[in-house]
Amino acid sequence: DARVTQTPRHKVTEMGQEVTMRCQPILGHNTVFWYRQTMMQGLELLAYFRNRAPLDDSGMPKDRFSAEMPDATLATLKIQPSEPRDSAVYFCASGSVGIAGAYEQYFGPGTRLTVT
Amino acid sequence: QKEVEQNSGPLSVPEGAIASLNCTYSDRGSQSFFWYRQYSGKSPELIMSIYSNGDKEDGRFTAQLNKASQYVSLLIRDSQPSDSATYLCARGDMRFGAGTRLTVKP
């Protein structure tokens, strides 16, 4: 049963601390997406990678967020330093380019981040 | 104007009825659309994709796309309480609507 995995599932941290979230995409998918979901803003695309290369990170606050894909089986999203406004659920999704260049995405279970 | 607009609801229908969920978008050049279902506390799950004008049916679900009117919809026939969830409309460029919360009452 192929699925996207994310760790940790929950994270509570204090303002100013570094947070690292990890994602293992579905084997064979060449594109990985990072999203943030809040009640106020809904689901927002932060960044995505194709074949491990960053294609778009325009949705990410550059001064504190960074995303990498060290290898095909691991994507990371880091926040340093974290702030209370970063509290949200962070989803990773994976997919492969399909019809009309679009992606059918498969989401991981998410990391619920609380910054106090 | 948001790029993908959905009525946030809540939309309430009785069990067995047809639930109609709607979505409008601002980019006339958009080619592909997706519907995701998200249960409370869970992650979005892809249920339908549609790339061309007209209807696409999959079991109890029918997606409809009208590019001239920049409108996409999802119909759920014979609605079940297990269909109660938030339904997210997404464009091919990974822009999501805010979601419509659907409640199916037994």
Side-chain angles (χ1 to χ4, degrees), chain A residues 87-112:
Chain A
S87 297
V89 180
Y90 291 80
F91 288 108
C92 173
S94 72
S96 292
V97 65
I99 300 172
Y103 298 88
E104 296 184 353
Q105 300 178 57
Y106 298 86
F107 282 76
T111 295
R112 182 174 295 275

mmCIF file of all heavy atoms in Angstrom, chain A residues 87-112:
data_model
loop_
_atom_site.group_PDB
_atom_site.id
_atom_site.type_symbol
_atom_site.label_atom_id
_atom_site.label_comp_id
_atom_site.label_asym_id
_atom_site.label_seq_id
_atom_site.Cartn_x
_atom_site.Cartn_y
_atom_site.Cartn_z
ATOM 1 N N SER A 87 2.281 28.266 13.325
ATOM 2 C CA SER A 87 1.432 27.167 13.789
ATOM 3 C C SER A 87 0.413 26.822 12.706
ATOM 4 O O SER A 87 -0.340 27.686 12.249
ATOM 5 C CB SER A 87 0.721 27.551 15.083
ATOM 6 O OG SER A 87 1.654 27.795 16.121
ATOM 7 N N ALA A 88 0.405 25.565 12.293
ATOM 8 C CA ALA A 88 -0.432 25.121 11.170
ATOM 9 C C ALA A 88 -0.238 23.617 11.014
ATOM 10 O O ALA A 88 0.565 22.999 11.727
ATOM 11 C CB ALA A 88 -0.021 25.831 9.878
ATOM 12 N N VAL A 89 -0.961 23.055 10.068
ATOM 13 C CA VAL A 89 -0.679 21.683 9.643
ATOM 14 C C VAL A 89 0.100 21.761 8.332
ATOM 15 O O VAL A 89 -0.330 22.447 7.392
ATOM 16 C CB VAL A 89 -1.965 20.861 9.451
ATOM 17 C CG1 VAL A 89 -1.609 19.438 9.010
ATOM 18 C CG2 VAL A 89 -2.789 20.829 10.730
ATOM 19 N N TYR A 90 1.229 21.082 8.299
ATOM 20 C CA TYR A 90 2.076 21.076 7.116
ATOM 21 C C TYR A 90 1.932 19.718 6.427
ATOM 22 O O TYR A 90 2.177 18.666 7.025
ATOM 23 C CB TYR A 90 3.535 21.345 7.496
ATOM 24 C CG TYR A 90 3.736 22.759 7.962
ATOM 25 C CD1 TYR A 90 3.409 23.149 9.264
ATOM 26 C CD2 TYR A 90 4.214 23.731 7.092
ATOM 27 C CE1 TYR A 90 3.559 24.452 9.684
ATOM 28 C CE2 TYR A 90 4.378 25.052 7.502
ATOM 29 C CZ TYR A 90 4.046 25.402 8.796
ATOM 30 O OH TYR A 90 4.198 26.714 9.208
ATOM 31 N N PHE A 91 1.534 19.780 5.170
ATOM 32 C CA PHE A 91 1.348 18.555 4.393
ATOM 33 C C PHE A 91 2.430 18.439 3.329
ATOM 34 O O PHE A 91 2.808 19.418 2.683
ATOM 35 C CB PHE A 91 -0.001 18.564 3.676
ATOM 36 C CG PHE A 91 -1.191 18.374 4.569
ATOM 37 C CD1 PHE A 91 -2.047 19.424 4.839
ATOM 38 C CD2 PHE A 91 -1.466 17.130 5.118
ATOM 39 C CE1 PHE A 91 -3.158 19.255 5.647
ATOM 40 C CE2 PHE A 91 -2.571 16.949 5.934
ATOM 41 C CZ PHE A 91 -3.419 18.015 6.206
ATOM 42 N N CYS A 92 2.873 17.230 3.140
ATOM 43 C CA CYS A 92 3.697 16.865 2.007
ATOM 44 C C CYS A 92 2.822 16.051 1.060
ATOM 45 O O CYS A 92 1.963 15.283 1.506
ATOM 46 C CB CYS A 92 4.890 16.043 2.490
ATOM 47 S SG CYS A 92 5.912 15.339 1.189
ATOM 48 N N ALA A 93 3.008 16.238 -0.226
ATOM 49 C CA ALA A 93 2.291 15.442 -1.221
ATOM 50 C C ALA A 93 3.276 15.026 -2.306
ATOM 51 O O ALA A 93 4.294 15.698 -2.520
ATOM 52 C CB ALA A 93 1.136 16.234 -1.834
ATOM 53 N N SER A 94 2.991 13.934 -2.966
ATOM 54 C CA SER A 94 3.837 13.536 -4.092
ATOM 55 C C SER A 94 2.962 13.171 -5.284
ATOM 56 O O SER A 94 1.765 12.890 -5.141
ATOM 57 C CB SER A 94 4.773 12.389 -3.718
ATOM 58 O OG SER A 94 4.088 11.153 -3.575
ATOM 59 N N GLY A 95 3.550 13.201 -6.465
ATOM 60 C CA GLY A 95 2.834 12.888 -7.683
ATOM 61 C C GLY A 95 3.788 12.853 -8.851
ATOM 62 O O GLY A 95 4.997 13.082 -8.693
ATOM 63 N N SER A 96 3.252 12.567 -10.020
ATOM 64 C CA SER A 96 4.020 12.632 -11.264
ATOM 65 C C SER A 96 3.238 13.463 -12.257
ATOM 66 O O SER A 96 2.004 13.484 -12.223
ATOM 67 C CB SER A 96 4.263 11.226 -11.825
ATOM 68 O OG SER A 96 5.125 10.500 -10.989
ATOM 69 N N VAL A 97 3.951 14.150 -13.134
ATOM 70 C CA VAL A 97 3.273 15.013 -14.104
ATOM 71 C C VAL A 97 2.420 14.155 -15.033
ATOM 72 O O VAL A 97 2.837 13.089 -15.477
ATOM 73 C CB VAL A 97 4.283 15.859 -14.889
ATOM 74 C CG1 VAL A 97 5.176 14.998 -15.747
ATOM 75 C CG2 VAL A 97 3.573 16.933 -15.698
ATOM 76 N N GLY A 98 1.214 14.627 -15.273
ATOM 77 C CA GLY A 98 0.276 13.872 -16.096
ATOM 78 C C GLY A 98 -0.294 14.711 -17.215
ATOM 79 O O GLY A 98 0.404 15.515 -17.832
ATOM 80 N N ILE A 99 -1.603 14.548 -17.447
ATOM 81 C CA ILE A 99 -2.286 15.235 -18.531
ATOM 82 C C ILE A 99 -2.192 16.753 -18.345
ATOM 83 O O ILE A 99 -2.355 17.253 -17.234
ATOM 84 C CB ILE A 99 -3.760 14.794 -18.594
ATOM 85 C CG1 ILE A 99 -3.827 13.278 -18.842
ATOM 86 C CG2 ILE A 99 -4.524 15.555 -19.669
ATOM 87 C CD1 ILE A 99 -5.216 12.709 -18.728
ATOM 88 N N ALA A 100 -1.932 17.448 -19.439
ATOM 89 C CA ALA A 100 -1.869 18.922 -19.443
ATOM 90 C C ALA A 100 -0.846 19.448 -18.457
ATOM 91 O O ALA A 100 -0.957 20.576 -17.976
ATOM 92 C CB ALA A 100 -3.249 19.519 -19.159
ATOM 93 N N GLY A 101 0.150 18.641 -18.143
ATOM 94 C CA GLY A 101 1.202 19.104 -17.241
ATOM 95 C C GLY A 101 0.779 19.233 -15.801
ATOM 96 O O GLY A 101 1.489 19.845 -14.996
ATOM 97 N N ALA A 102 -0.378 18.695 -15.452
ATOM 98 C CA ALA A 102 -0.866 18.818 -14.079
ATOM 99 C C ALA A 102 -0.504 17.577 -13.271
ATOM 100 O O ALA A 102 -0.118 16.550 -13.822
ATOM 101 C CB ALA A 102 -2.376 19.030 -14.090
ATOM 102 N N TYR A 103 -0.656 17.688 -11.966
ATOM 103 C CA TYR A 103 -0.272 16.619 -11.055
ATOM 104 C C TYR A 103 -1.477 16.121 -10.274
ATOM 105 O O TYR A 103 -2.193 16.919 -9.665
ATOM 106 C CB TYR A 103 0.774 17.115 -10.057
ATOM 107 C CG TYR A 103 2.061 17.577 -10.675
ATOM 108 C CD1 TYR A 103 2.216 18.892 -11.093
ATOM 109 C CD2 TYR A 103 3.127 16.704 -10.847
ATOM 110 C CE1 TYR A 103 3.399 19.326 -11.670
ATOM 111 C CE2 TYR A 103 4.315 17.127 -11.412
ATOM 112 C CZ TYR A 103 4.447 18.439 -11.821
ATOM 113 O OH TYR A 103 5.617 18.855 -12.383
ATOM 114 N N GLU A 104 -1.677 14.829 -10.276
ATOM 115 C CA GLU A 104 -2.591 14.210 -9.323
ATOM 116 C C GLU A 104 -1.760 13.935 -8.078
ATOM 117 O O GLU A 104 -0.803 13.151 -8.130
ATOM 118 C CB GLU A 104 -3.203 12.942 -9.906
ATOM 119 C CG GLU A 104 -4.069 13.216 -11.121
ATOM 120 C CD GLU A 104 -4.761 11.981 -11.659
ATOM 121 O OE1 GLU A 104 -4.466 10.879 -11.176
ATOM 122 O OE2 GLU A 104 -5.580 12.120 -12.571
ATOM 123 N N GLN A 105 -2.133 14.586 -7.003
ATOM 124 C CA GLN A 105 -1.276 14.570 -5.812
ATOM 125 C C GLN A 105 -1.832 13.647 -4.747
ATOM 126 O O GLN A 105 -3.049 13.549 -4.549
ATOM 127 C CB GLN A 105 -1.165 15.988 -5.244
ATOM 128 C CG GLN A 105 -0.556 16.973 -6.225
ATOM 129 C CD GLN A 105 -0.502 18.354 -5.660
ATOM 130 O OE1 GLN A 105 0.094 18.584 -4.597
ATOM 131 N NE2 GLN A 105 -1.115 19.295 -6.334
ATOM 132 N N TYR A 106 -0.918 13.024 -4.047
ATOM 133 C CA TYR A 106 -1.249 12.118 -2.953
ATOM 134 C C TYR A 106 -0.587 12.676 -1.695
ATOM 135 O O TYR A 106 0.630 12.835 -1.653
ATOM 136 C CB TYR A 106 -0.773 10.701 -3.272
ATOM 137 C CG TYR A 106 -1.478 10.188 -4.506
ATOM 138 C CD1 TYR A 106 -0.990 10.464 -5.774
ATOM 139 C CD2 TYR A 106 -2.682 9.496 -4.397
ATOM 140 C CE1 TYR A 106 -1.668 10.051 -6.907
ATOM 141 C CE2 TYR A 106 -3.368 9.069 -5.523
ATOM 142 C CZ TYR A 106 -2.852 9.365 -6.780
ATOM 143 O OH TYR A 106 -3.538 8.963 -7.895
ATOM 144 N N PHE A 107 -1.442 12.970 -0.712
ATOM 145 C CA PHE A 107 -0.991 13.692 0.468
ATOM 146 C C PHE A 107 -0.571 12.746 1.587
ATOM 147 O O PHE A 107 -1.169 11.673 1.784
ATOM 148 C CB PHE A 107 -2.114 14.589 0.990
ATOM 149 C CG PHE A 107 -2.298 15.854 0.204
ATOM 150 C CD1 PHE A 107 -2.915 15.833 -1.043
ATOM 151 C CD2 PHE A 107 -1.850 17.075 0.698
ATOM 152 C CE1 PHE A 107 -3.080 16.994 -1.778
ATOM 153 C CE2 PHE A 107 -2.018 18.244 -0.023
ATOM 154 C CZ PHE A 107 -2.636 18.202 -1.261
ATOM 155 N N GLY A 108 0.430 13.200 2.332
ATOM 156 C CA GLY A 108 0.786 12.519 3.566
ATOM 157 C C GLY A 108 -0.161 12.921 4.681
ATOM 158 O O GLY A 108 -1.042 13.772 4.489
ATOM 159 N N PRO A 109 0.017 12.338 5.876
ATOM 160 C CA PRO A 109 -0.913 12.588 6.986
ATOM 161 C C PRO A 109 -0.733 13.959 7.629
ATOM 162 O O PRO A 109 -1.595 14.395 8.391
ATOM 163 C CB PRO A 109 -0.579 11.482 7.984
ATOM 164 C CG PRO A 109 0.847 11.146 7.699
ATOM 165 C CD PRO A 109 1.017 11.323 6.225
ATOM 166 N N GLY A 110 0.368 14.644 7.329
ATOM 167 C CA GLY A 110 0.582 15.980 7.859
ATOM 168 C C GLY A 110 1.363 16.008 9.160
ATOM 169 O O GLY A 110 1.421 15.013 9.896
ATOM 170 N N THR A 111 1.983 17.161 9.401
ATOM 171 C CA THR A 111 2.634 17.458 10.681
ATOM 172 C C THR A 111 1.901 18.644 11.291
ATOM 173 O O THR A 111 1.842 19.712 10.686
ATOM 174 C CB THR A 111 4.117 17.826 10.492
ATOM 175 O OG1 THR A 111 4.835 16.705 9.991
ATOM 176 C CG2 THR A 111 4.729 18.279 11.815
ATOM 177 N N ARG A 112 1.328 18.420 12.468
ATOM 178 C CA ARG A 112 0.636 19.514 13.166
ATOM 179 C C ARG A 112 1.654 20.225 14.031
ATOM 180 O O ARG A 112 2.160 19.664 15.001
ATOM 181 C CB ARG A 112 -0.521 18.986 14.006
ATOM 182 C CG ARG A 112 -1.311 20.089 14.708
ATOM 183 C CD ARG A 112 -2.540 19.532 15.410
ATOM 184 N NE ARG A 112 -3.486 18.984 14.460
ATOM 185 C CZ ARG A 112 -4.404 19.689 13.808
ATOM 186 N NH1 ARG A 112 -4.489 20.998 13.994
ATOM 187 N NH2 ARG A 112 -5.232 19.093 12.976
#
